[in-house]
Amino acid sequence: MTVYRLGGRKARITLSDSEVRSFFGEYASLRAVTGEVKMTLALILEESLPDYGDSAGDLIVEVRAKENSGCVITVTSAGKTRKCPKSAVIFDFDSSEAMIKGILRLYSRKRAGIKSRLYKKPDGYRLVLFCPEKTDFFFMNEFCAVSGGGEAQAEYTDEHLKLLAAPDAVGKIGAAFFKATN
């Protein structure tokens, strides 16, 4: 195994034919990209690039292999690209009245300033709240359906529903309606 620094946050690792067979078995398994292959790649990266730890952010890894010729693994740091906190909570409202009451409840509980997005669904509204820590939103059950969501559901929502307010939907809408109701 040979490791080359290509400048910046880019590196290239070359493996000989015998190393590829030793680490991955067959060349076909590299094309299959199974969990075992991913784990082996992670171990190779961890061993050969110790400074590409958690502080590097996301990594772009490209593997090029040719039967009986070994392989070349190119690693590039994508930087800290994940901007969303790990925990997304999804609130689905049936009506605009329920949505406003629910957002006012969140606003009164000092949830303004937390990253949140409001979307229009065909049958109501969806609020995605990104929480830096695990929080229980049992008090919202009166107004909407609450789900743990997660990043995948939040990204799906972002791609398929119409965005109405962001990046602090709770703060914007809460402030507007809080003044109107008081």
Side-chain angles (χ1 to χ4, degrees):
M1 177 168 42
T2 310
V3 179
Y4 302 98
R5 294 279 174 195
L6 301 174
R9 301 294 290 164
K10 195 169 190 175
R12 183 168 288 145
I13 303 166
T14 59
L15 300 174
S16 67
D17 178 56
S18 61
E19 289 171 325
V20 170
R21 293 185 189 281
S22 171
F23 291 138
F24 301 104
E26 298 290 323
Y27 280 86
S29 65
L30 274 172
R31 282 183 234 109
V33 192
T34 63
E36 188 176 313
V37 169
K38 289 178 184 178
M39 182 62 74
T40 304
L41 279 170
L43 291 171
I44 289 171
L45 292 176
E46 185 178 320
E47 187 63 33
S48 59
L49 304 170
D51 59 330
Y52 274 86
D54 291 335
S55 63
D58 291 343
L59 297 177
I60 300 169
V61 179
E62 179 184 1
V63 180
R64 292 184 180 199
K66 187 174 182 185
E67 192 81 32
N68 301 323
S69 298
C71 78
V72 176
I73 303 168
T74 306
V75 182
T76 308
S77 174
K80 296 187 181 281
T81 56
R82 300 219 169 174
K83 294 181 178 143
C84 295
K86 292 183 181 174
S87 179
V89 181
I90 308 288
F91 303 96
D92 286 321
F93 300 95
D94 291 336
S95 67
S96 58
E97 181 181 346
M99 179 265 299
I100 291 168
K101 286 180 180 179
I103 288 179
L104 283 172
R105 176 74 61 91
L106 286 169
Y107 184 78
S108 68
R109 291 192 178 228
K110 308 294 187 236
R111 299 291 183 215
I114 294 177
K115 187 175 180 182
S116 56
R117 297 180 189 147
L118 180 66
Y119 298 90
K120 175 68 176 126
K121 295 181 357 177
D123 60 342
Y125 297 88
R126 175 171 285 175
L127 178 70
V128 180
L129 187 68
F130 297 96
C131 298
E133 73 279 339
K134 187 81 172 150
T135 306
D136 191 6
F137 290 99
F138 68 91
F139 60 89
M140 291 295 291
N141 289 336
E142 179 182 347
F143 308 106
C144 61
V146 181
S147 67
E151 279 187 64
Q153 191 173 2
E155 288 178 21
Y156 177 85
T157 298
D158 197 41
E159 289 178 19
H160 297 286
L161 297 181
K162 182 180 179 188
L163 180 66
L164 298 177
D168 180 15
V170 171
K172 288 178 184 175
I173 295 168
F177 284 95
F178 190 75
K179 291 175 187 174
T181 58
N182 288 331

